[in-house]
Amino acid sequence: MADVIIVGAGFAGLSAARELTRLGRDVLVLEGRERVGGRSFTGEVGGVPVDLGATFVGPTQDAVLALAAEVGCDTVPTYGHGKNLIRWRGRVRSYRSTIPRLSILELVDVSRIQWRFERICRKVPVADPWTSPIAGELDGQSLEQWLRSMHAGASTRDLMAIMARVTWGCEPDAVSMLHAARYVKAAGGLGRMLDVKGGAQQDRFLAGTQQIARRMAEHLGERVILGAAVRRIERRAGTLTVVSERGEFTAGAVIVAVPPEHRDGIAFDPPLPGEYEELARHWPQGHLSKAYAAYERPFWRDGGCSGEALSDEGPVFITFDVSPRDTGPGVLLGFTDARTFDPLTPEKRRETALAGFAALFGDAASTPIDYLDYCWGAQEFAPGGPTAAVPPGSWTTYGRWLRAPVDGIFWAGTETSDVWTGFLDGAVRSGVRAAGEAHQELTRRS
Ligand SMILES: Cc1cc2nc3c(=O)[nH]c(=O)nc-3n(C[C@H](O)[C@H](O)[C@H](O)COP(=O)(O)OP(=O)(O)OC[C@H]3O[C@@H](n4cnc5c(N)ncnc54)[C@H](O)[C@@H]3O)c2cc1C
């Protein structure tokens, strides 16, 4: 028995529990995995902690930065000294800043599309995007269709495809233009979302992001139950019974803090209004994977390289230097394209990822001292990430039910946030918002 039961111990669920505890409520967090953190999961390569899921934070992500400071987790700047590399049309070139060195014509086209995109963002209200006068038009097409309607050049479309892969874990033809515009606006614009300095990749946590979740869980103690996948939520006369793999629990309110797609794994009794079920089926998670290679030293720094690179050839399509120090070990992080990477055997994944690193940073990259990869889309329980890749039609048909409470059930998770949706920051904000809603409801009832 608790005042509020929270389903999911990611940043959203744990933040909700923390906020409710602060408001004097008794909580219970039920997590299906044997660990907390959800899409924040820290592993180790070459003895260095590395984030297999969420890694970076940046300015204006005030909710997660405040939380990290409260629980004593420090950030370091992302390494960015020297030249960035781009492997484009078979050649490796260097550049500085976020936009790679392309021809003048290609650069003009990138700026034109960026300008058009930002103008559309202005017309999309983040809280209720379906009310925009151009909602139907935007939600009736994919990002790819919009780019083609704007006559975007091949290089611009390839760059936008890289953005779609790393942002939503999908190709531009899988994501609604309305979703793309709302998402970018919630992050404060394309520059804020894509930049390292001054943007979402500016800083990272030396000990990894999962440490923040672990510390939140430590404070909550026995109120967090692991291995407790929730299978059913029953609603009877103002009491909610949550049936999990670790037993049944009752509460006055429930916060479901799992990605919209995973709500479909929970049976509601009596059933929720049809729109909620349809929403869960039309809000799929994207698929993104990561590969890490550790070396004795960050040898690319000797050649004046930042370790940051872009590639139009997979599977490694973006890299970062996440080495702890100049003296070593050197650690390269590569985002890999799940479509071609995930189906490979572990040996083949290692071979192709290292070949990708070597094509950018030279032969020395093919002989690491350690290697690790992680495929979020191939997970058995709660698969997918980094976030939802919402297809055309979903926002205008089901968007209004994304976080509308129903009979004492409240909805959290980064996908429900209006600020930095899809990011750790959005997850924290969503948890605090849902906690406030549940608290208010219990106060009203009593
Ligand atoms: C590869 C990758 C890279 C990323 N990079 C960044 C980054 O650099 N910066 C950034 O800010 N964000 C990044 N993100 C996104 C970030 O990880 C997410 O936005 C954030 O972690 C979402 O938190 P959440 O609590 O909303 O959801 P989740 O973390 O998904 O938490 C939901 C929890 O619910 C549990 N669950 C699901 N179903 C049930 C059930 N039926 N019963 C019980 N438990 C259940 C899951 O196991 C999970 O623990 C990245 C994500 C990935 C995958």
Side-chain angles (χ1 to χ4, degrees):
M1 186 75 196
D3 292 330
V4 184
I5 292 174
I6 295 144
V7 184
F11 272 54
L14 292 169
S15 299
R18 198 175 159 81
E19 177 68 5
L20 281 162
T21 308
R22 195 184 64 76
L23 292 167
R25 296 290 178 187
D26 187 24
V27 298
L28 202 57
V29 184
L30 302 176
E31 166 56 48
R33 289 184 164 112
E34 293 294 344
R35 62 168 182 86
V36 296
R39 283 169 271 172
S40 158
F41 182 31
T42 306
E44 206 180 273
V45 69
V48 177
V50 287
D51 280 307
L52 303 169
T55 303
F56 301 107
V57 287
T60 77
Q61 296 186 349
D62 301 329
V64 70
L65 289 171
L67 168 65
E70 267 173 46
V71 297
C73 296
D74 300 328
T75 59
V76 291
T78 304
Y79 186 82
H81 302 290
K83 56 192 182 204
N84 303 336
L85 299 179
I86 180 165
R87 186 178 170 210
W88 207 249
R89 314 299 187 232
R91 273 182 57 205
V92 178
R93 286 177 277 178
S94 62
Y95 68 100
R96 286 172 201 269
S97 88
T98 312
I99 308 254
R101 190 142 62 112
L102 304 167
S103 73
I104 291 289
L105 278 180
E106 285 170 317
L107 280 181
V108 168
D109 193 53
V110 170
S111 304
R112 178 179 69 88
I113 292 299
Q114 196 170 339
W115 184 77
R116 291 264 185 178
F117 191 98
E118 304 265 14
R119 259 172 63 108
I120 285 185
C121 289
R122 277 193 242 140
K123 294 187 191 151
V124 175
V126 174
D128 44 10
W130 57 88
T131 62
S132 164
I134 53 168
E137 182 193 327
L138 295 180
D139 208 28
Q141 60 188 322
S142 65
L143 172 60
E144 173 72 15
Q145 285 167 323
W146 177 79
L147 287 167
R148 287 191 182 273
S149 73
M150 292 291 118
H151 306 289
S155 287
T156 307
R157 279 190 279 115
D158 286 351
L159 282 172
M160 292 298 269
I162 290 177
M163 178 188 94
R165 272 171 220 143
V166 74
T167 305
W168 303 293
C170 73
E171 295 301 300
D173 62 2
V175 67
S176 152
M177 181 58 192
L178 181 62
H179 182 67
R182 174 190 185 266
Y183 191 97
V184 169
K185 187 170 183 178
L190 280 169
R192 180 73 84 197
M193 190 175 89
L194 299 174
D195 284 353
V196 175
K197 205 152 191 278
Q201 282 65 239
Q202 178 172 288
D203 301 301
R204 63 189 181 87
F205 295 90
L206 258 190
T209 55
Q210 198 190 358
Q211 190 186 55
I212 304 170
R214 285 204 208 100
R215 294 217 170 141
M216 283 196 278
E218 270 163 33
H219 292 163
L220 292 161
E222 289 176 351
R223 285 170 289 184
V224 180
I225 303 181
L226 301 179
V230 169
R231 300 298 181 200
R232 200 166 70 247
I233 300 178
E234 297 166 2
R235 316 191 298 288
R236 307 266 186 267
T239 299
L240 291 117
T241 304
V242 178
V243 181
S244 82
E245 289 190 352
R246 293 284 302 277
E248 290 187 20
F249 306 90
T250 56
V254 171
I255 295 177
V256 178
V258 311
E261 179 186 335
H262 301 150
R263 296 176 187 173
D264 202 33
I266 303 171
F268 292 88
D269 176 19
L272 296 178
E275 292 84 357
Y276 288 89
E277 287 181 12
E278 288 300 321
L279 182 138
R281 288 176 200 144
H282 290 86
W283 227 266
Q285 289 288 93
H287 292 180
L288 180 64
S289 305
K290 272 184 167 181
Y292 282 96
Y295 306 88
E296 297 289 355
R297 289 195 51 255
F299 61 86
W300 51 91
R301 293 186 187 180
D302 302 340
C305 287
S306 65
E308 206 184 310
L310 275 183
S311 173
D312 67 350
E313 235 178 278
V316 175
F317 62 93
I318 296 187
T319 69
F320 286 97
D321 175 343
V322 290
S323 315
R325 62 195 83 81
D326 265 346
T327 47
V331 184
L332 280 177
L333 149 64
F335 286 92
T336 58
D337 186 347
R339 291 171 308 163
T340 51
F341 193 65
D342 292 8
L344 302 176
T345 61
E347 296 75 32
K348 259 297 188 222
R349 288 205 306 269
R350 178 190 159 106
E351 192 186 312
T352 54
L354 294 179
F357 287 139
L360 290 159
F361 301 104
D363 286 348
S366 39
T367 48
I369 53 169
D370 201 3
Y371 171 87
L372 180 67
D373 63 34
Y374 199 79
C375 305
W376 286 90
Q379 285 285 295
E380 256 178 48
F381 185 75
T387 181
V390 185
S394 291
W395 265 108
T396 43
T397 318
Y398 309 109
R400 65 204 74 204
W401 287 279
L402 182 62
R403 58 167 183 237
V406 52
D407 289 351
I409 298 173
F410 300 85
W411 310 98
T414 191
E415 284 77 15
T416 67
S417 182
D418 287 344
V419 180
W420 284 109
T421 181
F423 292 76
L424 290 171
D425 189 71
V428 175
R429 290 175 196 264
S430 77
V432 173
R433 189 246 322 132
E437 289 171 358
H439 174 66
Q440 252 183 14
E441 168 71 8
L442 293 178
T443 309
R444 190 189 59 79
R445 273 197 233 152
S446 64

